[in-house]
Amino acid sequence: MSDTDLRIELRQTPAGIVGYEPLPEHRIKLHVGAPVAGACQFHRFLYTRGDLDIVPAGVSDVWHEEAASTSLMLRVSTALLRRTADEMGLPAECATLAQRHQFRDAHIEHIAWALDAERRAGFPNGTLYADSLGTALAVHLLSGQRRPEPVPARGLTRPQLRRVTEHIEAHLDGDLSLSSLADVAGLSASHLKTLFKRSTGLPVHEYVVHRRVDRARGLLLRSDLPASQVALESGFSHQSHMARCMRRVLGVTPGEVRRAG
């Protein structure tokens, strides 16, 4: 997935006219601030936290708000939707979004908050995590178009699982991507996500975190490398990122691991 397939930004607008020019990408707006009253040419409304709008690619929109407003804006490329539709067995004309206003969707909201947390942290989890969120969002957005082709109840075959896990181990200190792992398995990205979790019990990005934590633990116990270098050798973006993941997975800090050795 390209880094332009899914982007997020915090948008703050003053009271008055709010306008959206037509763009080549889809926009999903999540209201995250205080309630804001407003009106468009058709009716009056009250935005509250969690309200969503979809402004499709090539579409403009305009309305008036009575107070300053804060929202998260997800920008979804048309290429991501087209690619996901193809992987789901949907015809190309289904890779579109309809304009919608003030609706609720817990799944979209969850993805938006997860991506925003990643943004605020400086994207420490790299491409693979953003890929996973983008694929999950695209599948969800297109899921109402038509029931996708059934995915086999089994997980990955043994050769597929071996190829994927060996690729992960060989590139653990790099910026892994869902598309590269899907290529290794010979699957679409959406099918890899499903089958990998069935095989391992973990989502792909979480499996990678666990493997990085295990590598970091081994380096802390068996080497004199400084913790900052251990973090980089294990694929973490920095020492604090390693410490957060290690506490979550193992329940201990890097310092406690090293002292235990």
Side-chain angles (χ1 to χ4, degrees), residues 21-41:
E21 296 298 320
L23 292 178
E25 59 195 357
H26 306 289
R27 286 162 288 182
I28 302 175
K29 171 180 160 296
L30 172 66
H31 188 81
V32 299
V36 174
C40 64
Q41 59 179 321

Side-chain angles (χ1 to χ4, degrees), residues 176-190:
L176 291 162
S177 71
L178 193 62
S179 60
S180 66
L181 294 177
D183 287 343
V184 169
L187 297 168
S188 69
S190 56

Side-chain angles (χ1 to χ4, degrees), residues 19-219:
Y20 287 81
E21 296 298 320
L23 292 178
E25 59 195 357
H26 306 289
R27 286 162 288 182
I28 302 175
K29 171 180 160 296
L30 172 66
H31 188 81
V32 299
V36 174
C40 64
Q41 59 179 321
F42 301 109
H43 64 275
R44 295 189 59 79
F45 56 78
L46 178 68
Y47 274 119
T48 58
R49 185 180 176 89
D51 283 344
L52 289 158
D53 293 324
I54 292 180
V55 181
V59 173
S60 60
D61 207 350
V62 64
W63 62 87
H64 181 274
E65 292 180 352
E66 296 178 2
S69 179
T70 303
S71 58
L72 289 175
M73 183 70 69
L74 290 170
R75 305 177 78 142
V76 184
S77 75
T78 55
L80 174 59
L81 283 194
R82 286 196 302 268
R83 190 167 62 247
T84 304
D86 182 63
E87 292 174 356
M88 293 171 67
L90 298 173
E93 59 267 23
C94 288
T96 59
L97 297 179
Q99 188 167 14
R100 299 179 65 185
H101 293 99
Q102 272 197 294
F103 69 99
R104 294 282 177 142
D105 189 308
H107 194 76
I108 295 176
E109 185 175 355
H110 173 77
I111 291 173
W113 283 119
L115 190 61
D116 184 57
E118 184 75 353
R119 175 191 67 83
R120 287 185 282 106
F123 295 96
N125 292 303
T127 302
L128 183 60
Y129 185 60
D131 281 357
S132 299
L133 291 175
T135 300
L137 177 62
V139 169
H140 181 71
L141 290 169
L142 296 174
S143 61
Q145 302 280 20
R146 195 186 77 186
R147 184 176 296 278
E149 295 295 322
V151 177
R154 59 169 176 78
L156 296 169
T157 65
R158 288 185 179 180
Q160 284 176 322
L161 183 60
R162 183 180 65 253
R163 291 199 303 270
V164 172
T165 54
E166 286 178 352
H167 185 86
I168 289 172
E169 292 300 320
H171 300 85
L172 202 57
D173 59 347
D175 191 14
L176 291 162
S177 71
L178 193 62
S179 60
S180 66
L181 294 177
D183 287 343
V184 169
L187 297 168
S188 69
S190 56
H191 280 187
L192 174 66
K193 278 169 56 68
T194 300
L195 296 181
F196 188 92
K197 186 173 182 180
R198 286 178 183 168
S199 295
T200 66
L202 291 171
V204 183
H205 68 274
E206 189 65 19
Y207 175 88
V208 170
V209 169
H210 278 67
R211 295 304 306 136
R212 284 173 170 160
V213 165
D214 190 59
R215 176 176 290 186
R217 178 178 178 275
L219 288 172

Side-chain angles (χ1 to χ4, degrees), residues 169 211-226 230 234 254 257-261:
E169 292 300 320
R211 295 304 306 136
R212 284 173 170 160
V213 165
D214 190 59
R215 176 176 290 186
R217 178 178 178 275
L219 288 172
L220 288 168
L221 289 172
R222 297 190 299 270
S223 77
D224 295 324
L225 290 172
V230 169
S234 304
V257 169
R258 176 150 275 173
R259 287 192 294 272

